Amino acid sequence: MLLLDMTIYPTFLRGADFDDKPDSLFFNDGQRRIDFVLVYEDESKKMTHKRSDRKKQKRKRQVYESNLINNGLQLEATRSVLDEKLIFVKVHAPWEVLCMYAEVMHIKLPLQPNDLKTRDSAFNWFSRLFRVDENIIKPEQEFFTAPFQKEHLSNFYIQDKDTFFNPATRSRIVHFILSRVEYATKNNVKKFGINKLLDTGIYKAAFPLHDSSFRHLSTDPDCPSERYLLYREWAHPKNIFKLQPLDFIRKYYGEKIGIYFAWLGFYTNMLIVAAVVGVGCFLYGCLTKDNCTWSQEVCDPNIGGNIIMCPQCDKVCTYWNLTITCESSKKLCIFDSFGTLVFAVFMGIWVTLFLEFWKRRQAELEYEWDTVEYLEQEEQVRPEYEARCTHVVMNEITQQEEHVPYTACGKCIRMTFCTSAVFFWILLIIASVIGIIVYRLSVFLVFSAMLSQHISGTETILKYLTPQTATSVTASLISFIVIMVLNVIYEKVAILITDFELPRTQTDYENSLTTKMFLFQFVNYYSSCFYIAFFKGRFVGHPGNPVYWLGKYRNEECDPGGCLLELTTQLAIIVGGKAIWNNIQEVLLPWVKNLIGRYCAATRSEKVVPRWEQDYHLQPIGKLGLFYEYLEMVIQFGFVTLFVASFPLAPLLALINNMLEIRLDAWKLTTQFRRMVTQKAQDIGAWQPIMQGIAILAVVTNAMIIAFTSDMIPRLVYYWSFSVPPYGSHSSHTMKGYINSTLSVFNISDFKNASKPFSPSWFGNQTTCRYRDFRYPPGHQHQYEHNIYYWHVIAAKLAFIIVMEHVIYFVKFIISYVIPDVSQKTKSKVKREKYVTQKLLHENDLKVVKKTMGKIADKIFKGVDSAFRPKAE
């Protein structure tokens, strides 16, 4: 047994040896539960700081620990088994402290069991097949709850004082105390909080304990081994098709973690429907691609083989044969079909159903998890905000003085600076996007020179590797790399800006950071997709008068089939690459760090290691918790909804990713990270309005993708108007001749010297070439101006966008109106709880008052009666 040097401990702090019980969650007396653990390095053994600095750190730590004891907490210190420099300070909160701070924090606790009967849904028998075995994880008993008040202690449902406050609540109360205890005063400004001590290195870590190992049950028979059960029935890959034990997750990790996994699970379940419809539309495209008339014309040697296309860049590009795009046109038929339109309309309705049903589910969780009135009652001011409260202002409501960190003018200056910084960094992101566009324009010249194209098109590689394809793939890969690099930079910038802004509460802080980060990520991730979908190939002019980017680079053109296939490629690379990168970053890195830590620990000692030291060698969760998981999923939600018309398989990829993401996040929390301090959360915060904004924007983007990026509208216009007289020559509506009608004619003698290509030897007697546009041919009185077909197509596109938007928005409005945000069952539960609370807490008080007043009245009447009674003679 390791002997302790008691001289390193102050007189108020009790030192203790490790009792060789690795799964113990108690002090050495076996009675007092460990609610929190603080870890510091023995200052006498530190060699990295000056002696004076070590003394200052030791003094601050001792003052802090002394104040913790003054606030009612009990401490016990134990030296590390593996590293003699480390000291573990175990913290216990007695019953009186828990009661006092539970009342201060307005924590809701059980009054009596919930007596409302729950009716099983029609699908209950089906969902039971995917639920966790109730014999392993028993369902949590439902209670009516109320904010704790010590004076009404007898009204609360207390069967055992040791279990009335569960471990998650106990650690939350202790963390509240740790965050507000003072450790120094400088220039009349108090310095307090465990976070500051962690940042300055006085403490190395502060965390609540896991209750057991995730590999096996605890050796303590009284320990429920909830971590082991969570790993076995939730985080293990074998449970990938099982429903999550959300109440059990909430009990162990708190409401904030629980609401994230509830939302992610709900989102994943809703994706099943979208994925099925998306796969159906994709299969429809695969089955009908052989009947794609315009693709057959491109591949036909008698039609596409006789069409010579104009060069797509200046000088170095040469003429090329339309049949080179045969393979890409076949692929495009899969995605640019009638199923795309059906799927785009369906997804506009699906996203509304998802958001509305989530609101109902969220309202149920708010009631079940006691967060209905959380924001008004429980949330406390951030310690960082309290530490800066040096200005005194008059509260307009209470007419009392209160302390704030800045004046109205100071707040205005901060907000102006933060807003300017956000816009500055967004402009930098846009600049990086412009750089990618310049790359695309310049490298196209290189690929055009390297991948020489011949009219015969006999080389097999040219069927698949065209300059357009090579440019698109390389630009997408570079764009993905730039996105990932910029993410790392912008995360740090957003945190610095939000810290400077100094929000009052943690919810305000996270909402502010969420808004900034999403703005960054929105521009970063989606800008390249918006460019391909709505700008590429739109402003190119014609071969005789091309449009130049920055006065130097000739604008890119789309393939004869449009830019839809390129947009699909871009989405597949970004969505797939992002999922792989995030999983490596989130799972592999913590696993490798813990593996190295365990290896180093194993080489130093084979001794029995206590629970607190095992947890110390796990990875810290970070101050922002699951913020990055939310961000990852909402960005994915944007890809699934904003550009789904070009990639109907996006919901399927998202579904597969999310099924893995749930288990990977669960595995990461239960095995690789220290236990988080439980936090309350009423909802998913600012992510809800962000998703609502994405849902509204998605209708517009998908309508515009179908109208402007795909060739659906030009094909419909040709089929119904320009294939038959007076514009066409066919006797009935048909798609034959569509390719010829969409390719305008250009006379090569009209090339300018700056863009005229080098004369090839194979040209022969050809005097014209074709290009993708709707313009009059040379020799016409309005040559190279837009023809009547162009204006018909523009009118049809605008009409389609207006009709599709209004129809979907109308359906969305009807759905939002019909589906209430809170179900009738939840409303009844809330009303019943308020009634029970009023009856137990307030009416009982009224009865006591009446009883007390009755006794006083009796005494008064007795006194009056004796005063007027005649004296006995």
Side-chain angles (χ1 to χ4, degrees):
M1 184 176 293
L2 182 66
L3 296 178
L4 288 170
D5 180 7
M6 297 304 296
T7 59
I8 67 170
Y9 301 108
T11 56
F12 56 81
L13 183 58
R14 181 177 177 269
D17 295 325
F18 171 48
D19 56 7
D20 290 331
K21 296 179 180 178
D23 289 334
S24 176
L25 302 176
F26 296 88
F27 280 16
N28 276 16
D29 59 13
Q31 301 296 321
R32 292 173 292 173
R33 184 182 183 88
I34 302 173
D35 298 317
F36 226 87
V37 175
L38 307 178
V39 186
Y40 69 89
E41 190 173 349
D42 186 0
E43 290 84 357
S44 63
K45 298 182 181 296
K46 281 186 179 180
M47 303 303 294
T48 56
H49 295 84
K50 294 180 181 179
R51 185 175 181 181
S52 59
D53 292 338
R54 294 199 298 267
K55 285 186 176 181
K56 288 180 181 178
Q57 288 189 346
K58 183 175 182 180
R59 191 182 311 117
K60 289 179 180 178
R61 179 179 56 77
Q62 289 179 347
V63 170
Y64 182 71
E65 291 171 354
S66 177
N67 289 335
L68 288 179
I69 294 175
N70 293 336
N71 276 269
L73 297 180
Q74 297 174 3
L75 310 181
E76 182 179 79
T78 302
R79 189 179 288 278
S80 169
V81 172
L82 300 177
D83 186 354
E84 62 177 10
K85 294 179 182 179
L86 295 180
I87 307 295
F88 292 86
V89 179
K90 296 165 282 185
V91 184
H92 169 76
W95 170 259
E96 294 76 13
V97 174
L98 293 173
C99 290
M100 179 175 65
Y101 281 95
E103 187 168 359
V104 170
M105 298 169 68
H106 300 280
I107 296 177
K108 284 189 170 184
L109 292 168
L111 283 174
Q112 70 175 39
N114 192 329
D115 56 5
L116 287 176
K117 295 181 180 179
T118 56
R119 290 176 294 178
D120 292 337
S121 65
F123 300 99
N124 192 52
W125 64 271
F126 180 74
S127 63
R128 191 179 289 114
L129 301 174
F130 300 95
R131 289 180 188 170
V132 176
D133 188 350
E134 294 184 356
N135 294 321
I136 299 174
I137 298 181
K138 296 180 180 179
E140 294 294 316
Q141 185 178 3
E142 292 188 16
F143 290 92
F144 292 124
T145 61
F148 184 77
Q149 296 177 10
K150 194 172 182 180
E151 61 182 5
H152 296 128
L153 189 62
S154 60
N155 293 324
F156 285 89
Y157 191 80
I158 304 176
Q159 291 185 318
D160 185 354
K161 285 186 177 181
D162 293 334
T163 58
F164 180 63
F165 295 99
N166 63 35
T169 304
R170 295 177 68 99
S171 64
R172 181 175 160 223
I173 292 173
V174 172
H175 184 263
F176 178 86
I177 301 171
L178 295 175
S179 300
R180 283 157 178 81
V181 167
E182 180 185 344
Y183 63 85
T185 302
K186 186 176 181 180
N187 299 327
N188 294 325
V189 177
K190 294 181 179 180
K191 295 185 177 182
F192 55 87
I194 188 62
N195 292 335
K196 289 287 185 65
L197 295 172
L198 290 170
D199 292 339
T200 55
I202 295 175
Y203 284 103
K204 296 179 71 67
F207 52 90
L209 291 178
H210 282 296
D211 69 340
S212 67
S213 170
F214 71 89
R215 293 188 179 90
H216 54 77
L217 292 168
S218 173
T219 55
D220 184 352
D222 295 328
C223 177
S225 300
E226 293 176 348
R227 183 191 185 193
Y228 167 75
L229 293 177
L230 281 171
Y231 173 74
R232 177 184 167 186
E233 300 297 327
W234 176 48
H236 197 279
K238 69 177 183 180
N239 304 307
I240 192 169
F241 296 109
K242 280 188 177 182
L243 296 176
Q244 302 180 82
L246 293 176
D247 290 332
F248 201 62
I249 297 169
R250 174 249 181 172
K251 178 185 177 183
Y252 191 78
Y253 286 111
E255 288 76 12
K256 199 162 195 175
I257 299 293
I259 198 75
Y260 164 75
F261 282 102
W263 172 78
L264 182 56
F266 187 85
Y267 171 45
T268 303
N269 290 337
M270 288 292 290
L271 277 174
I272 295 174
V273 180
V276 169
V277 178
V279 170
C281 292
F282 176 77
L283 294 176
Y284 172 82
C286 292
L287 294 174
T288 58
K289 71 174 183 177
D290 294 333
N291 300 325
C292 189
T293 306
W294 65 271
S295 177
Q296 293 173 356
E297 291 184 349
V298 170
C299 299
D300 190 339
N302 296 321
I303 301 177
N306 293 326
I307 296 177
I308 299 174
M309 302 296 293
C310 297
Q312 292 187 320
C313 66
D314 295 337
K315 294 186 177 181
V316 297
C317 293
T318 185
Y319 303 92
W320 53 285
N321 196 290
L322 184 61
T323 53
I324 291 176
T325 62
C326 175
E327 294 300 322
S328 62
S329 68
K330 292 179 180 178
K331 296 174 186 175
L332 188 60
C333 286
I334 298 175
F335 298 100
D336 194 0
S337 64
F338 179 73
T340 301
L341 173 61
V342 174
F343 190 54
V345 174
F346 166 79
M347 287 302 293
I349 299 172
W350 173 88
V351 71
T352 304
L353 291 171
F354 163 63
L355 293 174
E356 292 302 318
F357 282 121
W358 167 247
K359 288 179 185 177
R360 288 170 62 90
R361 176 59 177 150
Q362 188 171 257
E364 292 176 4
L365 293 175
E366 283 180 16
Y367 167 75
E368 293 173 4
W369 294 354
D370 302 321
T371 61
V372 175
E373 298 175 352
Y374 157 64
L375 290 179
E376 293 88 10
Q377 293 186 352
E378 292 186 41
E379 190 164 26
Q380 306 296 322
V381 176
R382 293 173 65 235
E384 293 84 354
Y385 181 91
E386 287 182 330
R388 299 287 187 88
C389 290
T390 57
H391 297 277
V392 179
V393 297
M394 184 67 69
N395 190 307
E396 296 179 355
I397 299 174
T398 62
Q399 293 298 311
Q400 294 179 352
E401 291 184 349
E402 63 180 18
H403 294 272
V404 294
Y406 36 66
T407 61
C409 180
K411 183 177 181 179
C412 182
I413 293 173
R414 282 174 180 266
M415 295 303 296
T416 302
F417 174 80
C418 293
T419 304
S420 302
V422 169
F423 280 110
F424 171 75
W425 284 98
I426 288 177
L427 290 175
L428 284 183
I429 301 175
I430 295 174
S432 68
V433 174
I434 293 174
I436 297 295
I437 295 173
V438 171
Y439 164 82
R440 299 172 69 98
L441 299 176
S442 57
V443 82
F444 181 75
L445 300 175
V446 178
F447 283 124
S448 298
M450 293 173 59
L451 303 173
S452 58
Q453 301 166 329
H454 303 282
I455 278 194
S456 61
T458 55
E459 296 182 22
T460 305
I461 191 172
L462 294 179
K463 293 182 180 181
Y464 303 97
L465 188 60
T466 63
Q468 294 93 336
T469 304
T471 302
S472 174
V473 172
T474 57
S476 297
L477 291 172
I478 293 174
S479 177
F480 169 72
I481 294 171
V482 171
I483 286 172
M484 291 296 114
V485 172
L486 291 180
N487 276 347
V488 177
I489 300 173
Y490 297 142
E491 285 172 7
K492 300 182 184 300
V493 171
I495 292 172
L496 288 174
I497 295 174
T498 309
D499 288 341
F500 178 77
E501 189 179 319
L502 204 62
R504 184 174 182 272
T505 64
Q506 185 64 23
T507 298
D508 293 339
Y509 181 90
E510 292 181 1
N511 289 346
S512 178
L513 181 62
T514 296
T515 304
K516 294 179 181 64
M517 282 296 294
F518 182 76
L519 285 174
F520 289 154
Q521 302 282 23
F522 184 90
V523 179
N524 201 14
Y525 275 108
Y526 302 142
S527 53
S528 59
C529 295
F530 273 101
Y531 166 72
I532 294 172
F534 306 124
F535 295 99
K536 183 182 177 183
R538 299 290 173 268
F539 313 101
V540 296
H542 61 85
N545 186 27
V547 177
Y548 291 88
W549 179 268
L550 302 177
K552 182 179 179 181
Y553 301 100
R554 180 170 167 176
N555 276 2
E556 289 183 282
E557 297 182 30
C558 295
D559 283 336
C563 287
L564 189 68
L565 187 60
E566 185 173 347
L567 178 60
T568 303
T569 304
Q570 177 83 355
L571 286 170
I573 290 176
I574 292 180
V575 173
K578 177 176 173 294
I580 296 171
W581 173 265
N582 286 333
N583 288 331
I584 291 174
Q585 190 178 28
E586 293 177 8
V587 177
L588 189 59
L589 290 181
W591 179 76
V592 170
K593 289 180 181 179
N594 287 332
L595 188 65
I596 295 172
R598 287 196 297 269
Y599 175 78
C600 295
T603 58
R604 291 197 301 263
S605 174
E606 296 295 332
K607 298 178 181 179
V608 177
V609 181
R611 166 58 41 208
W612 51 84
E613 193 155 357
Q614 294 177 42
D615 286 4
Y616 170 72
H617 290 293
L618 297 176
Q619 295 299 307
I621 194 66
K623 293 182 179 180
L624 296 177
L626 293 174
F627 172 83
Y628 296 109
E629 277 69 20
Y630 270 119
L631 182 63
E632 176 189 350
M633 288 296 103
V634 172
I635 292 294
Q636 181 207 86
F637 177 78
F639 280 119
V640 168
T641 54
L642 289 174
F643 307 102
V644 76
S646 65
F647 193 36
L649 293 180
L652 176 63
L653 295 181
L655 174 64
I656 296 171
N657 176 77
N658 289 6
M659 292 176 68
L660 296 173
E661 183 76 20
I662 291 174
R663 305 305 161 180
L664 288 176
D665 285 345
W667 174 84
K668 182 173 61 176
L669 280 178
T670 53
T671 67
Q672 303 301 308
F673 285 95
R674 298 170 189 159
R675 187 173 182 176
M676 291 181 63
V677 178
T678 59
Q679 296 179 2
K680 283 280 189 179
Q682 189 177 27
D683 48 38
I684 61 174
W687 301 112
Q688 182 82 18
I690 285 174
M691 288 193 297
Q692 290 173 341
I694 291 175
I696 294 173
L697 182 61
V699 177
V700 180
T701 56
N702 284 301
M704 293 182 67
I705 285 173
I706 293 174
F708 292 105
T709 310
S710 78
D711 258 16
M712 183 176 296
I713 302 302
R715 290 200 300 268
L716 290 174
V717 171
Y718 176 81
Y719 181 84
W720 292 107
S721 299
F722 284 80
S723 63
V724 294
Y727 302 110
S729 57
H730 297 281
S731 59
S732 61
H733 298 289
T734 181
M735 284 300 297
K736 292 181 179 179
Y738 170 73
I739 287 296
N740 187 61
S741 69
T742 59
L743 298 177
S744 300
V745 180
F746 180 75
N747 194 326
I748 63 170
S749 61
D750 293 333
F751 271 120
K752 293 181 180 179
N753 291 330
S755 57
K756 188 174 183 179
F758 300 119
S759 298
S761 59
W762 49 263
F763 192 71
N765 297 324
Q766 292 287 341
T767 58
T768 61
C769 61
R770 309 295 291 272
Y771 61 99
R772 187 175 188 268
D773 208 342
F774 305 107
R775 295 179 183 268
Y776 289 113
H780 194 277
Q781 60 178 347
H782 299 294
Q783 67 174 6
Y784 303 138
E785 293 181 7
H786 288 118
N787 57 23
I788 190 67
Y789 192 177
Y790 172 83
W791 298 111
H792 274 71
V793 169
I794 289 295
K797 288 180 176 181
L798 296 177
F800 171 80
I801 291 174
I802 293 172
V803 171
M804 180 176 173
E805 284 182 0
H806 281 69
V807 168
I808 295 180
Y809 282 141
F810 178 74
V811 174
K812 286 166 71 73
F813 172 78
I814 295 297
I815 292 174
S816 301
Y817 180 79
V818 170
I819 301 176
D821 292 347
V822 183
S823 65
Q824 189 60 45
K825 180 177 69 174
T826 303
K827 289 179 180 179
S828 300
K829 289 182 178 180
V830 172
K831 291 178 180 178
R832 173 64 180 166
E833 181 173 271
K834 288 183 177 180
Y835 170 77
V836 171
T837 302
Q838 183 178 5
K839 183 177 180 181
L840 286 177
L841 299 184
H842 302 294
E843 292 186 3
N844 286 350
D845 286 349
L846 189 59
K847 291 178 180 178
V848 172
V849 171
K850 287 181 178 179
K851 187 176 181 180
T852 305
M853 291 300 296
K855 292 180 179 179
I856 294 174
D858 290 341
K859 290 181 179 179
I860 292 174
F861 286 127
K862 286 181 180 179
V864 171
D865 185 55
S866 61
F868 287 94
R869 187 178 299 164
K871 294 181 179 180
E873 296 181 357

